[in-house]
Amino acid sequence: GVEGHQFYYVVWHRDGEIRSASAWAPPDVPRPERKAGAPTFRSRGEFRECFHYTPDGKCTLVGRDISAEMSSGRRAAWMLAGAGSALLALGLAGGWLIASRSLRPIAEISSTAGKIANGDLAERIHIQDPKSELGRLSLDLNRTFERLQDAFARQTRFTADASHELRTPLSVMLMEAQSALSRERSVAESRQSLEVCQRAAQRMRNLIESLLLLARFDANGPCDEVQSCDLSQVARDASDLIAPLAREKGVALHLDLETVVCRGNPEQLSQAVGNIVSNAIHYNRPGGDVRIAVHREQDRAVLTVTDTGRGIPASDLPHIFERFYRVDKSRSGSEGHAGLGLSIAQAFIEASGGSMSAESEFGVGSTFVVGLPI
């Protein structure tokens, strides 16, 4: 070997005395225990050695100092540990950032839902990415919140309008009763007071029946009793029932009815047509006309009711099917009309799979169009 080389050697005589050794061999190299057979390896601290005994008892040992490799390995281990710790810290930080950004929309959804649950129905979820899964969920929730707000608004308005409508006839009845009890009255005066109370009570009954009808319809949904029926016969029956009112108002009814069989609930359709025709008579002018026509258009049965009345302003036309809505606000509650007839008619027609629309020219007249499936 060459001095400074990694390898060294030591040779022992059979009596244990060192006969030869590398000058750079580590001091006090212990003689290994004798073992027969092939060369044997041993580890001693930072030295790795191989020795062999000859048959006559001599021992030859070759070794190598691996301190440099051990040191390099320890440095590599510390470097790997440091790099692993850095990667772990980076992964935890990145995961926390990603998770927090991912959970932020959920927290916002929860916060908005909490505000809405506490009564702030105008709150909406702010959507940053409408194409993501949470974005689509937020859109659906916002639409749900809008419907919820509309439902609460309709309920509040419905309750207020119903209370207002019931308060007027009750006030009339109380005033008449107090007036009748305040002094002695003749039979004719008492009869007149009773007639006023009767008309007020009749108006209350009509309003309550309409409210109960709408409440049952809202609770139970569309009627399942849909069958084939002749729309012209439904229109004829409804016009016969309304004819006395038309004569009283001085309005002429004109029928142009083509036999068309449609799908629907006959009783509900009859009431719906009656409400439309009654509305056309009520808001007509004296000596006016109401034309009721039934015909077929492709796969639809179409009923039209046209009047020559005062018409509906363009600003009011989108709202005429809302409950308690009246075009003429100054006539609120007059003549027993509560503004529910067209709402009931539209509900019944849509329950039969049909549609209802209105066209009007103010001062000329209005036309209501009902379409039902053949």
Side-chain angles (χ1 to χ4, degrees), residues 83-123:
S85 300
L87 287 175
L88 178 61
L90 183 62
L92 290 174
W96 181 81
L97 288 175
I98 294 173
S100 61
R101 291 193 62 179
S102 301
L103 294 176
R104 193 179 304 159
I106 299 177
E108 185 175 354
I109 292 172
S110 178
S111 175
T112 304
K115 293 178 182 178
I116 292 175
N118 291 329
D120 190 0
L121 299 179
E123 278 289 330

Side-chain angles (χ1 to χ4, degrees), residues 243 245-255 277 280-281 284-292 306-308:
L245 176 63
R247 289 192 294 268
E248 180 184 347
K249 297 289 185 178
V251 176
L253 294 177
H254 304 277
L255 303 181
V277 176
I281 294 172
N284 215 320
R285 56 180 173 80
D289 298 313
V290 173
R291 299 186 178 275
I292 307 170
T306 305
D307 63 65
T308 57

Side-chain angles (χ1 to χ4, degrees), residues 2-3 65 79 85 107 148-149 191 193 209 214 223 347:
V2 181
E3 185 175 359
D65 184 358
M79 290 177 62
S85 300
L148 182 65
Q149 184 181 17
R191 182 181 180 85
S193 295
E209 287 178 351
L214 287 172
C223 179

Side-chain angles (χ1 to χ4, degrees), residues 198-215:
Q198 183 186 28
R199 288 195 296 271
Q202 180 65 38
R203 178 181 165 192
M204 287 180 60
R205 187 181 73 174
N206 293 338
L207 175 60
I208 292 172
E209 287 178 351
S210 297
L211 291 175
L212 288 175
L213 183 64
L214 287 172

Side-chain angles (χ1 to χ4, degrees), residues 19-278:
R19 300 294 296 272
S20 177
S22 299
W24 55 91
D28 302 326
V29 178
R31 182 183 180 186
E33 295 182 2
R34 181 173 183 173
K35 293 183 180 179
T40 306
F41 298 89
R42 75 176 182 180
S43 295
R44 187 173 59 85
E46 294 181 346
F47 300 99
R48 300 294 181 265
E49 298 169 337
C50 175
F51 61 92
H52 176 67
Y53 275 86
T54 62
D56 58 355
K58 297 176 183 178
C59 178
T60 302
L61 178 145
V62 179
R64 182 172 183 260
D65 184 358
I66 62 168
S67 58
E69 283 82 355
M70 295 287 287
S71 176
S72 177
R74 283 191 291 269
R75 287 195 301 270
W78 281 110
M79 290 177 62
L80 288 174
S85 300
L87 287 175
L88 178 61
L90 183 62
L92 290 174
W96 181 81
L97 288 175
I98 294 173
S100 61
R101 291 193 62 179
S102 301
L103 294 176
R104 193 179 304 159
I106 299 177
E108 185 175 354
I109 292 172
S110 178
S111 175
T112 304
K115 293 178 182 178
I116 292 175
N118 291 329
D120 190 0
L121 299 179
E123 278 289 330
R124 294 294 180 270
I125 301 170
H126 178 66
I127 302 173
Q128 296 181 349
D129 184 9
K131 295 182 179 180
S132 66
E133 292 183 359
L134 287 176
R136 292 194 294 271
L137 174 62
S138 300
L139 286 172
D140 293 336
L141 288 175
N142 280 342
R143 285 193 289 265
T144 302
F145 294 152
E146 288 175 2
R147 289 195 295 269
L148 182 65
Q149 184 181 17
D150 292 341
F152 271 96
R154 286 196 303 270
Q155 182 182 19
T156 303
R157 186 168 60 249
F158 182 83
T159 303
D161 291 339
S163 301
H164 175 74
E165 292 296 334
L166 289 171
R167 183 177 58 185
T168 302
L170 279 174
S171 299
V172 171
M173 293 175 67
L174 287 173
M175 290 174 58
E176 286 296 327
Q178 291 173 357
S179 177
L181 294 172
S182 63
R183 61 181 177 84
E184 294 293 332
R185 312 190 77 181
S186 64
V187 175
E189 290 175 333
S190 299
R191 182 181 180 85
Q192 183 179 7
S193 295
L194 290 174
E195 289 175 350
V196 171
C197 291
Q198 183 186 28
R199 288 195 296 271
Q202 180 65 38
R203 178 181 165 192
M204 287 180 60
R205 187 181 73 174
N206 293 338
L207 175 60
I208 292 172
E209 287 178 351
S210 297
L211 291 175
L212 288 175
L213 183 64
L214 287 172
R216 284 196 298 267
F217 189 85
D218 290 341
N220 300 327
C223 179
D224 295 331
E225 298 177 2
V226 177
Q227 61 190 52
S228 298
C229 59
D230 186 355
L231 184 58
S232 62
Q233 188 60 45
V234 171
R236 190 183 305 279
D237 294 341
S239 62
D240 290 342
L241 290 174
I242 300 297
L245 176 63
R247 289 192 294 268
E248 180 184 347
K249 297 289 185 178
V251 176
L253 294 177
H254 304 277
L255 303 181
D256 181 13
L257 307 177
E258 174 186 339
T259 300
V260 183
V261 178
C262 67
R263 298 285 295 173
N265 183 284
E267 294 183 2
Q268 292 182 354
L269 290 179
S270 179
Q271 184 170 353
V273 175
N275 288 354
I276 298 171
V277 176
S278 174

